Amino acid sequence: MTALRLARPDDLPKLLPLVEAFHEHIGAPTKTDHCESALSPLLEGNPLGVVYLIGPRIAPIGYIVISFGWSVEYGGMIGTVDQVFLRPSVRGRGIGHEVLSELPKALADAGLKAMNVQIPFDDEAAQRFYSRLHFKQRNGIITLTREG
Amino acid sequence: MTALRLARPDDLPKLLPLVEAFHEHIGAPTKTDHCESALSPLLEGNPLGVVYLIGPRIAPIGYIVISFGWSVEYGGMIGTVDQVFLRPSVRGRGIGHEVLSELPKALADAGLKAMNVQIPFDDEAAQRFYSRLHFKQRNGIITLTREG
């Protein structure tokens, strides 16, 4: 099984290029100092989220950021896949499936009640990917956002 | 302006009937012990969320639960309206608008980057309500959930 390692502050140099590649990939390029200040609190133990490196710590092949939150209806802690990224060269080998199959189970054992992920409604590949992982659309629910 | 008061453990007896009324209202009735164990950690200071009583502490007219989380793209802490409820007898007076106008501003001053809310896509009244509060739909994004 592909190793997941909780990222720590000294992993930042290996993590930053992956996060910048992800932001490029989704068409929302960001500056290094934005990424650094967005990641450092999590690496330093902020309870609102965690970052895992996928693969060897010295040469990670990807990363996943889980944001934590609370749901009164679910009765406890919930998680959201904030970002997940694999280097293009290692895709198509089932690594993403493995990560997103094992991680919710491990976090459920630690008390997580549910895991959310947000995807574009027209991304059929992502829908198939998450459907195989038992993620289901809550019918007719939309998310509204107020920034700043 | 309508007072918002951070709910503490000794507010639980006033809070519980309101939360049970909300769960009845959304068609997901829950047992008192579920609500109690879902609320107590927040009242005791769990950093994943907060509960505010709306109105006088001794006779609250409603409550709002905010779940906190983290977004690397937004660069920091984000919030989600987990639940908001006003007693039927005080609705239609602009209290909900006031609460959801003031609270995101206060939390933004404390570092919140964005606030989310999830509503049924066919609830036009809720859409108008949140639209007036500058909440916008992120086009084409759907949420998938894996429970347990």
Side-chain angles (χ1 to χ4, degrees):
Chain A
M1 138 145 212
T2 307
L4 286 176
R5 297 164 204 281
L6 196 65
R8 306 170 309 203
D10 56 2
D11 292 315
L12 191 61
K14 298 286 183 193
L15 181 58
L16 273 176
L18 295 168
V19 176
E20 287 173 24
F22 173 77
H23 284 168
E24 282 282 340
H25 175 71
I26 61 167
T30 41
K31 298 206 170 123
T32 303
D33 59 350
H34 170 97
C35 289
E36 202 169 320
S37 66
L39 292 164
S40 290
L42 300 186
L43 306 186
E44 287 158 9
N46 186 306
L48 296 180
V50 283
V51 184
Y52 294 94
L53 296 174
I54 302 170
R57 188 179 293 280
I58 196 163
I61 57 175
Y63 73 98
I64 181 165
V65 179
I66 305 292
S67 163
F68 294 121
W70 195 269
S71 162
V72 173
E73 191 181 347
Y74 280 119
M77 189 167 71
I78 55 170
T80 299
V81 180
D82 182 52
Q83 301 192 337
V84 58
F85 180 76
L86 283 173
R87 287 187 195 283
S89 58
V90 300
R91 290 182 201 159
R93 299 183 195 173
I95 296 171
H97 182 92
E98 195 178 74
V99 166
L100 277 153
S101 173
E102 295 303 320
L103 195 52
K105 276 187 228 163
L107 292 172
D109 288 345
L112 201 83
K113 304 294 183 186
M115 179 81 90
N116 295 318
V117 64
Q118 296 192 317
I119 63 167
F121 86 99
D122 56 357
D123 187 340
E124 290 178 14
Q127 289 197 24
R128 278 196 303 274
F129 175 79
Y130 283 106
S131 168
R132 284 195 299 267
L133 289 157
H134 313 293
F135 284 79
K136 293 186 178 68
Q137 191 174 354
R138 293 181 67 185
N139 282 336
I141 297 291
I142 57 172
T143 300
L144 309 179
T145 302
R146 171 177 162 148
E147 297 185 21
Chain B
M1 136 145 214
T2 308
L4 286 176
R5 297 165 204 282
L6 196 66
R8 306 170 309 201
D10 57 1
D11 293 314
L12 192 61
K14 298 286 184 194
L15 182 59
L16 273 176
L18 295 168
V19 175
E20 287 173 26
F22 173 77
H23 285 168
E24 282 284 339
H25 175 71
I26 62 167
T30 42
K31 298 207 169 120
T32 303
D33 59 350
H34 170 97
C35 289
E36 200 168 322
S37 66
L39 291 164
S40 290
L42 300 186
L43 307 186
E44 286 158 9
N46 185 306
L48 296 178
V50 283
V51 184
Y52 293 94
L53 297 173
I54 302 170
R57 188 179 294 279
I58 196 162
I61 57 174
Y63 73 98
I64 182 166
V65 180
I66 304 292
S67 163
F68 294 121
W70 195 269
S71 162
V72 173
E73 191 181 347
Y74 280 120
M77 190 166 72
I78 56 170
T80 299
V81 180
D82 182 52
Q83 301 192 337
V84 59
F85 180 76
L86 282 174
R87 288 185 194 284
S89 58
V90 299
R91 291 182 200 158
R93 301 184 196 172
I95 296 172
H97 182 91
E98 194 178 73
V99 167
L100 277 152
S101 173
E102 294 303 319
L103 195 53
K105 276 185 228 163
L107 293 172
D109 288 346
L112 201 82
K113 304 294 186 186
M115 179 81 90
N116 294 318
V117 65
Q118 297 191 319
I119 62 168
F121 86 98
D122 56 357
D123 187 340
E124 290 178 15
Q127 289 197 24
R128 278 196 303 275
F129 175 80
Y130 283 107
S131 167
R132 284 195 299 268
L133 288 157
H134 312 294
F135 284 78
K136 293 187 178 70
Q137 190 175 354
R138 293 181 65 187
N139 280 337
I141 298 292
I142 58 172
T143 299
L144 308 179
T145 302
R146 170 179 165 147
E147 296 186 19

